[in-house]
Amino acid sequence: MSDDSNNTNLIRITTGIAATVAAAVALIMPLGYFAVSYQYMVGSLETESEVSAYNISKVISANPELWRYEEVRLEELLARRKPGSQNEVRRILDERGNLVAERVGTLTPPIIKRSYPLKDAGADVGRIEISRSLNPILIRSIFVSFLGIALGTTVFITLRILPRRAINELKHAEEKLHRYARELTESNEDLKNFAYIVSHDLRAPLVNIKGFAGELSAGLAELQVLKKKCVCRYEGNDGERADEILGTDVPEALDFINSSVKRMDALINSILKLSRLGHRELKPEPVATQEMVTTILKTLTHQLEQHGTEVVVGALPELVADRTTLEQIMGNLLDNAVKYLGPDRSGRLEIFAESGADEVVFHVRDNGCGIAREDIHKVFEIFRRAGKQDVQGDGMGLAYVKTLIRRLGGRIWCESELGSGTTFSFSIPLGNARAHIVP
Amino acid sequence: MMDRPLPVTILLAEDDAGHALLIEKNLRRSGVSNKILRVDNGREAVDFLFKEGRYAGDPSPSPFLVLLDLNLPELDGGQVLRLIKGDVRTRHIPVVVLTTTDNPQEVAKCYELGCNVYVTKPVDYEQFSEAIRNLGLFLSIVKIPEDE
Ligand SMILES: Nc1ncnc2c1ncn2[C@@H]1O[C@H](COP(=O)(O)OP(=O)(O)OP(=O)(O)O)[C@@H](O)[C@H]1O
Ligand SMILES: [Mg+2]
């Protein structure tokens, strides 16, 4: 809402600016044109009269007494002019103001007049007067003012439209972003609900499969008892076959059903757990990660000794973050590091951290069996395992870790070389409510 | 004591026929010999309890107990529970929620709505039958609330 009022404000301001600029253009263009042309005309009138006065002075000094009677020569002089200045009137007047010679033309008012004194041996003997009409300038100024108005209008429209466009573009971009954000939250919600629904709805049929398999077992047991008590109706091969079915085949089938259901149940529980991790409330508290890592390593002592592992723990920071989350992240990474050390060489484990301004990056490095390049992205997916399946695992650990780290706002990545070792690194962003370094 | 039939009906609201059968079998094994009436959707459960719809004017007695699945069509278990516990006529009926979910939020919500016992149906059949048998034992020692 306040965005909208900001925008209308902005539009008002830009409209104001556009109007001012447009008006200025429309006014200044004709006025400027007029002022410059007028100035130019006055200047040229002055020079013209000066030049004419000089030429006439020559006639005067040649004949100082009688010059005023040499009308023909004077008029000839007056007629000599620069091309393009036809529309003017030139007059020669004597010192008393009487007309001596004249070159006429038609002049429409308003008229501008300039004169220059005629001299003979330093004394004024008359003056030359040139008049021109201002009309052409005025007409051109009007024309220019039309141009100015047109230009001003264009400027106004442009200045008004451009910011509006920009604002609209911005609005669109913003709306798009909002929509993406909304879609993201929705699909996130969907995903959470999906996991929940899947695990709930998948369980119901499992209860039946397992339940009726149980009923079958119970029925079978009862049958065996009954069989012992009563005389068997089958004889010879048929009897053996019947014994085989009841004693081996059916129980075997039931075992498969039971173990598959158990496995399925475990998988469903894993999905459920993963979906719950996304909901769990985080409680940030100070955590000495160094101590935490040491404690976790203690629980792995047995496995570490088995591999003759050397463990190096660098200086790890004290963070304010959710303790359980950090514990689970570290626990899973360390568990994997030890689990996948490989039997053929003595192990080496390094845990270290780099504290930057806005995040801490933890590294867990081992010299174990490594992960093939094409498998690296897979290992973070739920139920996915890589390489030789010679150690027991569910393929859940890294999926949990990834979810947990994402909840803390960080990310996880992995560098590995098949056969020589793996480094898992994860970042925890600092300076927000979720995590920061204890000073 | 266990073989003494209680003169009241158990209403089992369960949409999964398999679950219903397994529940019934295990209740019988634990010695519960009451009449068990099964409905497979929430609407019918409510109709039965309030003697509405196709149960209108039905003289059958109020059930002693309701066994309620949460994942029911038409009206889900939560809604049924809310209706039962929100009406003076049915408020006294003990409700046992019996469902596959063990989501703590769901459990808490049910207790908030007034469910008396919450039992998760474990996938493991041993545990399942044990849970139902325990429930049966519980049913046979619990006192029958007076109908008002
Ligand atoms: N440090 C490591 N070195 C080599 N391979 C690894 C390492 N950590 C993980 N992996 C590979 O990634 C796969 C996935 O690991 P993840 O922790 O998700 O599952 P898991 O260890 O198999 O089972 P779980 O942790 O659920 O018991 C493992 O099966 C293994 O192949
Ligand atoms: Mg693991």
Side-chain angles (χ1 to χ4, degrees), chain A residues 136-365:
Chain A
I137 294 184
L138 281 177
I139 287 169
R140 267 173 287 175
S141 295
I142 288 168
F143 179 69
V144 169
S145 81
F146 280 128
L147 265 182
I149 288 168
L151 196 68
T153 316
T154 319
V155 167
F156 178 75
I157 290 170
T158 321
L159 284 185
R160 262 204 67 150
I161 284 175
L162 281 186
R164 250 174 218 234
R165 280 235 180 110
I167 287 171
N168 275 350
E169 284 295 308
L170 272 176
K171 251 194 196 159
H172 275 191
E174 209 179 276
E175 267 164 26
K176 236 188 224 166
L177 258 168
H178 274 305
R179 207 179 54 237
Y180 287 155
R182 213 174 34 237
E183 277 169 14
L184 207 69
T185 355
E186 270 171 20
S187 69
N188 247 345
E189 272 307 306
D190 280 355
L191 215 65
K192 281 179 196 163
N193 293 340
F194 173 77
Y196 172 74
I197 288 166
V198 158
S199 43
H200 179 265
D201 291 349
L202 285 185
R203 260 185 185 174
L206 275 192
V207 169
N208 278 335
I209 298 174
K210 191 88 185 197
F212 287 103
E215 288 297 320
L216 267 179
S217 301
L220 210 60
E222 231 180 294
L223 244 166
Q224 303 281 27
V225 175
L226 287 179
K227 213 181 79 188
K228 268 185 202 132
K229 275 200 280 190
C230 69
V231 189
C232 191
R233 284 189 289 140
Y234 298 113
E235 267 162 30
N237 276 346
D238 279 356
E240 261 168 47
R241 182 72 193 118
D243 281 349
E244 200 180 304
I245 291 173
L246 291 181
T248 326
D249 292 3
V250 175
E252 192 182 69
L254 285 173
D255 277 351
F256 273 114
I257 292 176
N258 282 331
S259 63
S260 297
V261 169
K262 209 167 161 185
R263 173 96 191 108
M264 184 85 184
D265 190 37
L267 295 181
I268 290 171
N269 284 337
S270 296
I271 299 182
L272 198 59
K273 187 174 161 198
L274 193 62
S275 96
R276 277 180 194 160
L277 283 184
H279 291 294
R280 206 175 66 83
E281 201 185 323
L282 301 178
K283 284 193 224 77
E285 57 179 306
V287 181
T289 50
Q290 181 118 23
E291 258 169 55
M292 175 181 279
V293 167
T294 321
T295 316
I296 296 170
L297 284 170
K298 246 180 223 143
T299 66
L300 296 169
T301 312
H302 177 66
Q303 292 99 305
L304 286 169
E305 275 170 4
Q306 253 180 348
H307 292 277
T309 315
E310 178 193 359
V311 182
V312 184
V313 181
L316 304 180
E318 193 175 334
L319 291 179
V320 173
D322 185 73
R323 176 180 289 278
T324 321
T325 303
L326 280 180
E327 241 163 32
Q328 283 170 339
I329 294 170
M330 272 298 181
N332 271 296
L333 291 181
L334 290 174
D335 179 64
N336 281 350
V338 178
K339 200 154 106 178
Y340 301 105
L341 268 178
D344 39 308
R345 102 191 82 139
S346 59
R348 186 183 155 84
L349 227 68
E350 275 175 80
I351 301 102
F352 55 101
E354 299 162 276
S355 303
D358 47 6
E359 62 176 15
V360 184
V361 179
F362 290 90
H363 305 274
V364 176
R365 173 171 297 161

Side-chain angles (χ1 to χ4, degrees), chain A residues 51 82 181 201 348 375 389:
Chain A
V51 170
K82 280 205 276 174
D201 291 349
R348 186 183 155 84
D375 286 344
Q389 310 282 302

